[in-house]
Amino acid sequence: MIAAPVAKPILDRAISLFEREHDIKIFVSYEASGNIYFKLRMNVSIDVVVFASAEWGKRAVEEDLVYPDTETGIGYQIILLYVRKDLLENTSLNCIDDLVKYNVRIGIADPKVAPGGYEALYIINQSIYRDYLLQRIVIAKDIGELTTWYKLGSVDAAFIWNTYNSTLRNIPEIIFPWKCGYKVNIYYSVAYLSKTARDAELAKIFVRFMSSDEVKNIAREQGFFGDYNEVVNFLSR
């Protein structure tokens, strides 16, 4: 099995549970989605693949590299805008557009490689103040580095996944982009049975297991939403 690192917090526990229930050993490596896609195209023997996003899964389906009817979503998340509380002492920030009132540094992950950064730009580009906001952007190599910058105060605001809520506790004020009229996307990893699978039947059982209530509960414990509808309900509050 090869999976994108974003799914690791869920998969590590889910795999352990599945191994105990079925008395087997699953060998998993964590690699970038581009590497997974390349290995499938090279016909490397893989039973199960987990891409970081639905977009990568779509590409694999279009190339006939995976079985489309086995698609299973894992670990649903959305981007939020975290603002440092010390910036808010004498200010009022209710929406992304309010940032134009202040000289702030806005952190995003590199949109060329990080879905979170791509989503941040998607949100910023909807603003009537997009040109100003784009000038205030500071780009981190990934969400991990961006989170560190935010904790250290190197940026005043940052677009970070909701799954980081627990690690950012007591630091931020959170702005929910959709409450200001911005469109947002729901991101999740996708698992498939690979067409190069050697043990297709058992691999299919594992992929099906990834949609079970047990795995959804693991996802929730890790800060993710359990399924797509949970996110939709959250966005409609």
Side-chain angles (χ1 to χ4, degrees):
M1 176 178 175
I2 306 181
V6 66
K8 189 176 190 300
I10 300 171
L11 289 178
D12 281 354
R13 291 181 57 187
I15 288 171
S16 178
L17 184 59
F18 189 85
E19 287 177 333
R20 290 198 303 270
E21 291 182 356
H22 294 268
D23 193 28
I24 63 165
K25 178 64 178 177
I26 296 177
F27 296 95
V28 58
S29 64
Y30 293 99
E31 302 181 24
S33 292
N35 289 348
I36 299 172
Y37 178 76
F38 176 78
K39 288 184 176 181
L40 287 175
R41 294 194 67 187
M42 294 296 103
N43 290 316
V44 174
S45 180
I46 309 167
D47 292 302
V48 176
V49 293
V50 181
F51 292 106
S53 67
E55 287 72 21
W56 278 108
K58 182 180 179 181
R59 291 179 64 179
V61 168
E62 290 173 347
E63 291 275 346
D64 198 31
L65 303 174
V66 296
Y67 291 97
D69 60 339
T70 64
E71 178 182 323
T72 302
I74 308 166
Y76 296 78
Q77 57 185 342
I78 50 178
I79 280 287
L80 306 176
L81 177 61
Y82 294 85
V83 182
R84 290 186 59 85
K85 285 186 176 179
D86 50 7
L87 178 67
L88 299 172
E89 290 178 356
N90 299 304
T91 62
S92 176
L93 290 176
N94 300 306
C95 190
I96 295 168
D97 293 346
D98 292 333
L99 291 175
V100 302
K101 302 175 185 176
Y102 313 102
N103 184 26
V104 296
R105 294 155 297 176
I106 305 169
I108 70 170
D110 188 347
K112 295 179 182 178
V113 296
Y118 183 86
E119 175 70 359
L121 284 185
Y122 172 74
I123 293 171
I124 290 171
N125 280 324
Q126 296 175 54
S127 174
I128 59 174
Y129 302 110
R130 61 179 296 275
D131 291 338
Y132 172 83
L133 296 174
L134 290 172
Q135 291 174 8
R136 307 307 304 166
I137 281 178
V138 181
I139 299 178
K141 66 179 181 181
D142 54 33
I143 288 288
E145 182 176 72
L146 177 58
T147 303
T148 299
W149 287 1
Y150 183 81
K151 290 179 178 178
L152 294 174
S154 300
V155 293
D156 304 299
F159 286 90
I160 300 175
W161 298 116
N162 67 283
T163 48
Y164 284 79
N165 278 354
S166 60
T167 64
L168 299 176
R169 191 172 297 162
N170 298 324
I171 296 178
E173 183 75 15
I174 300 175
I175 292 177
F176 303 97
W178 61 93
K179 292 188 176 181
C180 308
Y182 286 84
K183 296 178 181 178
V184 298
N185 293 300
I186 300 171
Y187 283 78
Y188 53 95
S189 303
V190 285
Y192 290 94
L193 172 65
S194 166
K195 289 202 170 181
T196 61
R198 290 181 297 181
D199 193 337
E201 287 306 312
L202 188 56
K204 188 181 295 185
I205 292 172
F206 176 77
V207 173
R208 192 182 310 127
F209 172 72
M210 295 307 297
S211 64
S212 69
D213 289 339
E214 296 160 295
V215 175
K216 289 179 182 179
N217 285 333
I218 291 173
R220 295 182 187 109
E221 290 170 4
Q222 297 297 319
F224 294 88
F225 294 94
D227 57 39
Y228 192 90
N229 287 333
E230 282 184 20
V231 191
V232 172
N233 291 336
F234 182 78
L235 295 176
S236 64
R237 291 178 185 173

